[in-house]
Structure formats: C-alpha cells, structure tokens
Amino acid sequence: MLDLVLTEHRKSLGLFEVGRVLPNVRRRMVGPFIFFDHMGPVDFAPGIPREMDVRPHPHIGLATVTYLFDGEITHRDSTGVEIDIAPGEVNWMVAGRGITHSERFEGLRRHGGRMDGIQTWVALPTDHEEIAPSFTHTTAREITTFTDTGLSGRLIAGQAFGLTADVATFSPMFYAHLLLSDGTACELPQDHPERAAYIASGRITYDGHSYGPGEMLLFRPGPAQSLRAVGPTSLMLLGGTPIGERYIEWNFVSSSKERIDQAKADWRAGRMKLPDLDNGEFIPIP
C-alpha cells in the first residue's frame, strides 16, 4: 500500500541545479538511503565554466552511489582513484572514517552534451561507519541485468528479484534502474521493509492515480506493489532495512553528533587529505 509521495525540490548548486528528494521533512530515509539527488537533465554547450565543477570536499559515515543516464563526470578522490564516470556504470565510494573527492565536468567542458543522473548516499551501519575509505567502479557490461516483456532492468546494488549485485554492501538493501515500455507493469521487491520508486522520466499509474517525473512513491511493508508505465518510463527502485537514526550535516553522516563535530573540526583544520590529483582547492564548510 502507498504510504507517501515525495516531490523533488529544485536546489541550486551554483551554475547547476538538482532535484533533491531525500532528505525530506516528511521522510528522512528510505532503508539506508539518506540522500537522493537527480542531477539534471540539462544540456550544456562546450566550454562550460570551471565554476560548475564540484571542488574537493569531504564525507564520513556513508557510501555515495553515482549513476548516470547521460553525460560524464571525472572523479578524483583521496584514495588515489581518478576515473571518468560514464552512463550505465556504478560508482560506489565508501567514505567510512573519511574520504575527500571532487567531481569535474572535463568531458562536457570539451564537447558539450547532456547531464542526467542520480547520486544517492547510503548510510553505513554503526559497526561500519569507521571502516577504511574505498572506491569501486563497475562497468556497464559488468552490472547484473534482467529482462522481461517490455522491461529491462539493471541491479545497481544489493539484492532484489532473486538476484545479487556484485557491489559489496553493508546492510540489507536494493537499488535498481528499470526501463519500461508503454503499458508494461513492474513490481517492487517484497522482501524489504522499506521500498520506494522514483520516476526519472515518463509516467506511471498506481491504484488509479498517475505520477510523473520528480516524484518518489514510498510503500508500506507488505505484498509486492505493481506499477504500470504510461509511455516509455525510467524508474529507480530503492529501499532496504532501516539502520537506525542518523544525523546529517553538510556532507557528513553519522549516528553521533559528536563525530560530525569532529569531522567539521578536522576539515577546517586541514586534517583530511585532499585527492592526490586534485589538491589545489577545496570547498570550505558553509
């Protein structure tokens, strides 16, 4: 049964605007997911200014998941990773006890094009909040996929539909991207207590009501829920088991307010290592 419908609110990141769904005053988390941004869609001409880049900044207590429909992002982090993130790939960055990274738009700056994608933050369970930082890149060919009549799906992380993604997660969860043709129905997994469907493009109907881009439907525990596409539709399905209360401030997530205060002090004092290949500037705490 449908519990709640959240609508993204547009948030300016300077020269770039995102649609933010989580956290929301009506619901802070879905399973372990504590942050959900839709980047774009927006079209850029070549030569976009460097002010649009996301300069080096820190995280603790979470894993970021970057998944693009279109565009390219150059990722650099303090573990030494530098990689161009392309559409259909999974990029899972575990902050743990602390990581810094930047997100640059080098490819779009050279060639122009569309940026469209999702970034989520997955809060880590308490016994993993202080693990070593890491970055895992899964190519589009390596991602677990599944198909049915009028439906193609990609399991980005976790377990769902009888499948398990290759990305190592730390609590029970699922995250999937579905493409549906007109009139095709899909069901949300029923073996997770918290479940949501975000409409990236197109429309769906549920229980006689229609929902469109930028809306996230949250469902109560129980039987599988069936959603039907109206025209070609792109859906993100997500959820899992709640991991307990989490605090979020700026780019920091933790089960402890004191730990966030320590991270803020560390960043202000320059005690968090910047990316090896992008250490000439950084974002100060607002």
Side-chain angles (χ1 to χ4, degrees):
M1 181 179 295
L2 184 63
D3 183 36
L4 191 63
V5 178
L6 302 180
T7 301
E8 67 180 16
H9 63 275
R10 305 304 295 179
K11 182 174 178 61
S12 174
L13 301 181
L15 299 177
F16 191 56
E17 190 175 73
V18 299
R20 182 155 298 168
V21 185
L22 295 174
N24 189 287
V25 293
R26 301 172 69 196
R27 177 68 69 85
R28 290 178 58 79
M29 300 175 70
V30 178
F33 290 87
I34 194 168
F35 181 93
F36 189 103
D37 264 6
H38 188 167
M39 305 176 288
V42 61
D43 295 307
F44 293 106
I48 58 175
R50 287 186 61 82
E51 288 79 9
M52 199 186 89
D53 291 352
V54 182
R55 293 169 292 156
H57 58 281
H59 293 287
I60 65 165
L62 57 87
T64 68
V65 191
T66 305
Y67 183 83
L68 300 182
F69 308 124
D70 285 295
E72 181 182 300
I73 296 175
T74 300
H75 166 97
R76 301 182 180 104
D77 67 43
S78 52
T79 72
V81 171
E82 178 182 45
I83 195 165
D84 291 331
I85 299 173
E89 300 175 341
V90 176
N91 300 273
W92 178 272
M93 185 183 76
V94 177
R97 60 177 174 257
I99 198 170
T100 66
H101 74 127
S102 64
E103 295 160 309
R104 305 282 187 177
F105 298 96
E106 311 287 7
L108 289 174
R109 183 168 294 112
R110 291 191 299 270
H111 310 298
R114 169 163 289 205
M115 171 55 62
D116 189 11
I118 305 289
Q119 186 172 94
T120 61
W121 297 356
V122 177
L124 298 175
T126 305
D127 57 351
H128 285 82
E129 286 183 292
E130 298 296 324
I131 62 174
S134 63
F135 183 88
T136 302
H137 174 79
T138 306
T139 67
R141 290 183 178 181
E142 295 170 324
I143 292 176
T144 301
T145 61
F146 53 98
T147 59
D148 203 343
T149 303
L151 178 154
S152 64
R154 317 180 83 237
L155 186 60
I156 297 169
Q159 295 181 318
F161 312 112
L163 302 171
T164 300
D166 289 336
V167 174
T169 56
F170 302 96
S171 65
M173 60 165 286
F174 74 99
Y175 188 32
H177 177 209
L178 270 59
L179 294 175
L180 308 175
S181 60
D182 181 35
T184 299
C186 70
E187 291 188 348
L188 274 76
Q190 58 182 328
D191 49 353
H192 293 277
E194 295 190 356
R195 301 163 297 166
Y198 173 78
I199 306 161
S201 63
R203 297 195 71 82
I204 61 104
T205 59
Y206 173 76
D207 195 25
H209 297 277
S210 177
Y211 303 93
E215 293 187 294
M216 179 181 283
L217 284 63
L218 284 69
F219 295 91
R220 298 173 187 168
Q225 307 297 321
S226 181
L227 313 175
R228 188 171 298 275
V230 180
T233 297
S234 175
L235 287 181
M236 305 301 292
L237 306 183
L238 63 148
T241 300
I243 62 168
E245 183 179 17
R246 286 295 182 273
Y247 302 102
I248 179 170
E249 185 173 346
W250 193 40
N251 297 313
F252 302 129
V253 169
S254 179
S255 58
S256 163
K257 289 183 178 180
E258 291 75 19
R259 180 65 180 91
I260 289 180
D261 289 341
Q262 180 62 59
K264 290 161 59 178
D266 289 343
W267 185 243
R268 289 192 179 103
R271 291 191 289 263
M272 297 183 74
K273 178 178 177 289
L274 292 172
D276 295 327
L277 301 172
D278 196 348
N279 55 21
E281 56 182 343
F282 61 89
I283 300 177
I285 292 179

